[in-house]
Amino acid sequence: MGCLCSKQKPVRTSDAEENAKAAEIEKRIAQEATAEKHIQKVLLLGAGESGKSTIFKQIRLLFQTGFDEAELRSYIPVIHANVFQTIKILYDGAKEFAQNETDSLKYVVSLENKETLSRGNLIQVPDCAQYFMKSLRRVSDANYVPTKEDVLYARIRTTGVAEIQFRRASFLFQPRGREQEERGVYKLFDAGGQRNERRKWIHLFEGYDQALFEDETKNRMMETKALFDWVLKQPCFEKTSFMLFLNKFDIFEEKALKVPLSVCEWFKDYQPVSSGKQEVEHAYEFVKKKFEELYFQSSGPERVDRVFKIYRTTALDQKLIKKTIKLVDETLRRRNLLEAGLL
Amino acid sequence: MASCAIHGGCPSDYAVVGFAAASFVLLCIRASYPFLYCKGPRTRTNDLWIVVVQIFGSFNLVLGFVMSLNYFNVNKRHPWQSCYIWGVWLGGALGFGLLISFRIVQVYQLYYLFVKRRLPSIKSNVLIPLILLPWMGGATAISITKPLNANCHIHWQWIAPVVCFIMLYISALIWLAYAIRHIEFRFQELKDLLRGIIISATATGVWIIAYVLIEVQEYNSWVQVISRFLLLFTVGILVLAFFSMSISQPLLSQMSLSGRRSVGYLTMGEALGIREGDSSQKASHSDVDFNEPLDRLLLDDNFRRSFMAYADSCLAGEGVHFYDEVLELGKIRVDDPAKRIYMARHIIERYINSGTEMEVNISHRTRQEILTCEDLTSPHLFDHAVVELLQLLKANLFKDYWSSVFFMKLKAEQCKEPDGQGSLDHLRHPESSSFSWQW
């Protein structure tokens, strides 16, 4: 911070320069503080493997410079590790399945034999398994350079907190001045979702505006429900808007037709009505309704003003994510205008 | 004198109650001192629970004796003034019974860790109620058969079974102490245990003698007064001398009021006297090649400290701290199993157990492998966890470290070294393509 000379001392030229510099520094600090206030801070919260980091990568691709070749190449070991991990899980799973059946050759792990992979839901195969196993020859090539899609599929467990800042062009307003331009600036934070990583979330909670809460319609549903409930009740989120991303919709579409929703305790009152796409839509609407009910149950009267929206997402689909972020942005701007009394 | 000898309220009664109260207060100070005044990591729930149980048991013991033997000459009209509540349940089962059961569990854990070299299969919060169950059963039997007279003195016939019951528990302590006698403990666990055994056996002996004297010399006022004095005096000594933290938290035992070292923060490595490393470990700066994989770079103290600070700033420091302590574990000789067990247990309690402040992000399978391992002294105990965490650190932090302030500071510090020859050459920002990943 700047320092001031004593009033008793005569003002010399060097002191005047120092004062001017100090004033300039204070002015810049104040400007940055003002700019900081207009930056929308967004936290990506959710259980492990729900897709937070994939959204994070998508934002980088859409609104930042994306990945250069060096960065793409840096994902080669990660992708190879995902493949090794998949093979190990398939191998262990195959051994387990073979023990319980007479035809043990049925589960031999090979590029052609998908028998073990087809029972992936029983042995916790990662979501990227199918994608990389289909492209095994390509990723194992000596001159392999990952594509953007490969990078999105690559699975790295997040530890600690990563942040990026991006700017989103406004569709509601043309940029007229510095202030309105700043309103389109977002700071996005990605944190790990495993239990030990969640205790670090508290460091992010003070002074944040929105929380992008991801969810997955998989076996960890009950944990996710408890997590969502807990986050909603945090005092620091009293005025925070929540954008709930019901993620991995592509997987949900497949599963909803094979496994009844009622296997999950939270959805035990679900009754299927039809089949095919209609059934998927019905199942999705049911899940959405459950989250809405949970939101209103967990939100007291002092929290009625905060915005809550649910979005259906597939984090790996760039077009869909771009569209979703646009909707999120519009919602937030509308809220800001409401708060400013302009709407 | 005759009146107060029988009904209580003698000056000696008040004096000994004062002494017992002072002992209890001193116990509270001794127990809470390490938590209130010592610097160091935040107190874990486990440490508090050890203190709380011992203070609770001691309080019950003192209060039970005071109320049941009527030191204050209170008219016993109300049901809540019953001997069975104060003497049998509070002073007996939930006082002395709780303290001795707790100590047995502590020694059992020591036995499991240092003799069997495994983590105890039954948690202490399950074992304590189990070991306390016979005390509850005994208290129930006494409450039903009602062998106490109006002065809360037990009938002759019951003295032998009660004494045998208490001696059974003390014998269990003696047997466990015998089983661990050959272990080279670092934090005076055996000394604490022997002190506990001697004190509890002596206290039991004094109580028996006092009770016998009270019964036999019923009409001798001096015997009544002195016996009553001795009873509570022994309780006061017992609550102070029986207290022990050492088994569950060696560092806090070092910092206790009677400790020899000055109050201050100690790492487990420092507490065990593990040296930081010989001169060959502190590799000369020109030996450090920043194109080396992360696991090699982390062997360098300066790099490790810098990377740790960077990881802490990204809220991902627990992995590097874990690696640091596993390195320290690696420095302990294989033929020093006691030290290895201390260190391994410390690492597990700090980094592996679910819910700890520094819990590392490893898979459930790896976590279970460590928690159910057959040999805590194994040099490969944490290998899988280290591999997983190195992968995590490489994927999340390694790349961005090179453009961080922490690396700049490391570079600046290296430049200031007197032996600056060629020290800048190897500090170039390594190309990401030349990183080698070791699995």
Side-chain angles (χ1 to χ4, degrees):
Chain A
M1 301 294 284
C3 60
L4 297 174
C5 297
S6 164
K7 282 182 187 173
Q8 291 161 355
K9 290 184 184 171
V11 177
R12 284 169 272 175
T13 315
S14 58
D15 291 339
E17 276 175 14
E18 275 178 23
N19 283 347
K21 269 190 196 163
E24 179 64 30
I25 289 168
E26 281 192 33
K27 189 180 164 192
R28 283 175 73 177
I29 289 170
Q31 278 176 345
E32 276 169 25
T34 310
E36 183 77 14
K37 269 192 239 171
H38 293 301
I39 296 175
Q40 303 268 17
K41 296 182 188 81
V42 182
L43 300 180
L44 286 168
L45 303 178
E49 283 188 78
S50 54
K52 300 180 293 296
S53 298
T54 311
I55 300 267
F56 194 78
K57 287 180 211 165
Q58 288 280 25
I59 301 285
R60 282 189 63 186
L61 285 169
L62 289 167
F63 303 111
Q64 284 198 330
T65 52
F67 301 105
D68 57 22
E69 188 173 330
E71 200 156 0
L72 288 172
R73 283 183 183 277
S74 71
Y75 274 88
I76 295 173
V78 176
I79 291 166
H80 287 172
N82 288 164
V83 170
F84 291 141
Q85 188 193 9
T86 301
I87 292 171
K88 186 173 186 326
I89 292 171
L90 287 175
Y91 176 73
D92 290 340
K95 271 202 308 190
E96 203 180 307
F97 295 146
Q99 272 171 4
N100 301 331
E101 290 201 24
T102 47
D103 180 17
S104 60
L105 292 178
K106 192 173 155 190
Y107 295 107
V108 168
V109 176
S110 71
L111 281 178
E112 290 73 33
N113 189 350
K114 305 278 191 289
E115 195 62 44
T116 312
L117 193 56
S118 64
R119 301 174 75 179
N121 57 314
L122 296 173
I123 52 174
Q124 302 267 334
V125 169
D127 295 330
C128 58
Q130 292 260 18
Y131 176 81
F132 285 123
M133 294 309 277
K134 270 192 272 191
S135 318
L136 210 51
R137 290 207 162 89
R138 180 172 63 86
V139 303
S140 58
D141 187 71
N143 300 317
Y144 166 60
V145 178
T147 61
K148 284 175 193 166
E149 201 181 1
D150 293 345
V151 166
L152 287 173
Y153 270 94
R155 160 81 190 143
I156 305 173
R157 209 160 51 203
T158 307
T159 186
V161 177
E163 69 172 89
I164 51 168
Q165 195 159 304
F166 66 98
R167 183 171 302 188
R168 202 180 166 293
S170 163
F171 284 96
L172 291 179
F173 298 99
Q174 294 302 315
R176 280 177 199 156
R178 187 168 153 71
E179 192 178 327
Q180 287 198 319
E181 205 177 288
E182 289 297 339
R183 286 195 186 276
V185 179
Y186 292 91
K187 203 181 248 188
L188 182 69
F189 292 82
D190 179 28
Q194 283 76 27
R195 286 185 193 178
N196 73 299
E197 299 287 337
R198 288 176 212 164
R199 66 166 195 279
K200 303 173 190 174
W201 293 1
I202 199 72
H203 297 282
L204 307 174
F205 281 2
E206 286 300 313
Y208 286 87
D209 295 323
Q210 294 88 21
L212 274 170
F213 189 89
E214 300 168 9
D215 191 4
E216 53 174 63
T217 51
K218 286 180 82 176
N219 296 334
R220 285 172 232 156
M221 182 58 73
M222 297 311 291
E223 187 172 334
T224 303
K225 177 191 173 198
L227 193 54
F228 186 44
D229 186 46
W230 177 78
V231 172
L232 285 172
K233 286 174 175 159
Q234 292 305 302
C236 51
F237 286 152
E238 215 172 85
K239 295 195 181 353
T240 302
S241 302
F242 278 78
M243 309 292 161
L244 177 63
F245 281 19
L246 295 179
N247 195 31
K248 302 197 182 184
F249 186 72
D250 53 336
I251 299 175
F252 179 76
E253 273 182 307
E254 284 177 27
K255 271 202 160 176
L257 298 172
K258 291 184 208 166
V259 181
L261 212 54
S262 49
V263 298
C264 175
E265 198 193 320
W266 194 18
F267 306 141
K268 61 183 177 218
D269 51 337
Y270 177 73
Q271 297 289 336
V273 291
S274 55
S275 58
K277 220 171 169 135
Q278 266 188 321
E279 177 55 31
V280 171
E281 281 303 316
H282 182 248
Y284 169 74
E285 289 301 322
F286 182 86
V287 171
K288 187 177 166 189
K289 196 181 104 193
K290 282 289 187 184
F291 275 99
E292 279 168 349
E293 281 170 5
L294 179 60
Y295 174 81
F296 289 113
Q297 267 169 31
S298 306
S299 301
E302 70 284 355
R303 293 168 197 228
V304 291
D305 290 337
R306 67 183 177 188
V307 174
F308 175 60
K309 294 267 183 185
I310 302 180
Y311 300 91
R312 175 198 318 207
T313 58
T314 300
L316 293 162
D317 184 339
Q318 196 167 81
K319 283 187 190 149
L320 183 59
I321 291 297
K322 189 172 182 179
K323 194 173 154 194
T324 307
I325 298 295
K326 181 183 166 188
L327 291 170
V328 168
D329 184 51
E330 279 170 12
T331 305
L332 298 176
R333 285 173 187 280
R334 215 173 289 277
R335 190 205 73 156
N336 290 340
L337 289 170
L338 265 169
E339 280 182 356
L342 298 174
L343 272 185
Chain B
M1 178 65 173
S3 167
C4 82
I6 305 219
H7 300 296
C10 297
S12 61
D13 291 337
Y14 290 115
V16 79
V17 168
F19 171 77
S23 298
F24 180 72
V25 168
L26 208 59
L27 167 71
C28 293
I29 293 171
R30 185 181 165 204
S32 56
Y33 180 78
F35 300 99
L36 294 175
Y37 295 104
C38 297
K39 300 168 211 165
R42 232 171 43 192
T43 309
R44 301 168 311 163
T45 316
N46 277 348
D47 306 339
L48 279 176
W49 128 265
I50 293 161
V51 170
V52 165
V53 168
Q54 292 188 81
I55 289 180
F56 177 70
S58 303
F59 178 76
N60 289 344
L61 183 62
V62 170
L63 189 65
F65 263 78
V66 167
M67 295 303 288
S68 61
L69 294 178
N70 205 21
Y71 284 81
F72 290 129
N73 189 15
V74 174
N75 281 330
K76 289 187 184 175
R77 284 184 211 152
H78 301 282
W80 60 264
Q81 291 169 314
S82 156
C83 285
Y84 295 94
I85 293 174
W86 295 109
V88 175
W89 284 97
L90 205 67
L94 297 175
F96 187 67
L98 182 61
L99 286 175
I100 203 162
S101 303
F102 190 76
R103 181 54 73 88
I104 288 174
V105 166
Q106 284 185 316
V107 186
Y108 166 78
Q109 285 182 332
L110 274 185
Y111 169 76
Y112 228 93
L113 282 168
F114 289 94
V115 176
K116 291 193 164 242
R117 297 184 182 182
R118 296 181 62 180
L119 292 173
S121 49
I122 309 174
K123 288 198 187 304
S124 51
N125 56 358
V126 171
L127 207 51
I128 290 172
L130 274 177
I131 296 179
L132 194 58
L133 215 53
W135 285 86
M136 308 300 255
T140 309
I142 290 175
S143 300
I144 291 169
T145 51
K146 298 202 186 306
L148 301 180
N149 63 16
N151 294 327
C152 287
H153 298 160
I154 200 163
H155 199 270
W156 273 108
Q157 289 171 337
W158 280 84
I159 288 184
V162 167
V163 168
C164 287
F165 182 73
I166 295 174
M167 292 314 293
L168 191 67
Y169 274 71
I170 295 175
S171 306
L173 270 180
I174 293 171
W175 179 81
L176 284 167
Y178 183 76
I180 62 172
R181 72 194 183 284
H182 58 284
I183 305 292
E184 291 172 25
F185 291 106
R186 297 281 305 190
F187 303 106
Q188 303 191 324
E189 284 90 336
L190 196 58
K191 197 173 156 188
D192 273 351
L193 175 60
L194 290 173
R195 188 183 69 218
I197 291 171
I198 291 167
I199 290 288
S200 54
T202 309
T204 308
V206 168
W207 293 337
I208 295 168
I209 293 168
Y211 266 116
V212 167
L213 283 173
I214 285 171
E215 289 297 307
V216 166
Q217 298 286 328
E218 204 174 333
Y219 299 107
N220 188 330
S221 307
W222 284 108
V223 167
Q224 296 287 320
V225 167
I226 290 168
S227 303
R228 218 166 41 231
F229 181 89
L230 272 178
L231 274 170
L232 198 56
F233 184 79
T234 319
V235 166
I237 301 286
L238 183 129
V239 298
L240 266 180
F242 208 61
F243 176 78
S244 169
M245 281 292 296
S246 63
I247 285 156
S248 294
Q249 186 50 278
L251 291 178
L252 285 177
S253 76
Q254 284 273 330
M255 299 169 195
S256 69
L257 277 170
S258 61
R260 288 138 303 282
R261 302 191 64 156
S262 60
V263 168
Y265 174 61
L266 291 172
T267 62
M268 179 54 84
E270 286 170 351
L272 292 175
I274 301 167
R275 280 175 296 174
E276 282 207 328
D278 56 24
S279 54
S280 63
Q281 195 62 42
K282 289 185 183 174
S284 63
H285 303 307
S286 55
D287 292 336
V288 176
D289 177 7
F290 282 84
N291 286 313
E292 291 271 324
L294 180 61
D295 50 339
R296 294 267 173 86
L297 286 170
L298 285 173
L299 293 175
D300 180 76
D301 288 346
N302 292 329
F303 178 86
R304 192 168 66 251
R305 266 194 291 272
S306 171
F307 192 73
M308 192 186 287
Y310 169 68
D312 284 338
S313 73
C314 299
L315 303 179
E318 66 278 358
V320 190
H321 287 274
F322 168 79
Y323 186 86
D324 189 46
E325 303 227 50
V326 170
L327 270 186
E328 290 208 324
L329 174 65
K331 290 174 193 166
I332 303 173
R333 294 190 328 268
V334 177
D335 60 357
D336 191 350
K339 243 194 211 173
R340 290 191 71 87
I341 288 170
Y342 277 118
M343 196 66 191
R345 184 162 160 257
H346 162 73
I347 292 172
I348 289 170
E349 286 187 348
R350 195 153 189 230
Y351 300 102
I352 306 295
N353 281 341
S354 293
T356 58
E357 195 186 331
M358 300 278 275
E359 184 187 350
V360 288
N361 192 345
I362 52 176
S363 62
H364 174 76
R365 191 176 169 169
T366 303
R367 195 183 305 280
Q368 289 305 112
E369 263 177 26
I370 294 169
L371 293 176
T372 56
C373 71
E374 297 283 330
D375 184 8
L376 282 173
T377 60
S378 165
H380 304 293
L381 179 60
F382 298 110
D383 281 0
H384 289 162
V386 166
V387 165
E388 280 190 28
L389 285 167
L390 280 175
Q391 286 179 15
L392 209 63
L393 293 172
K394 280 175 198 166
N396 285 273
L397 302 174
F398 199 36
K399 197 160 55 70
D400 291 334
Y401 168 73
W402 304 112
S403 49
S404 71
V405 154
F406 299 89
F407 177 60
M408 310 292 172
K409 266 171 87 174
L410 179 66
K411 259 201 320 200
E413 277 162 21
Q414 306 283 15
C415 292
K416 280 183 199 162
E417 291 292 319
D419 178 17
Q421 272 190 355
S423 61
L424 275 178
D425 293 341
H426 59 275
L427 293 174
R428 276 193 302 272
H429 187 313
E431 295 295 331
S432 57
S433 57
S434 67
F435 284 173
S436 61
W437 296 71
Q438 288 191 352
W439 307 107

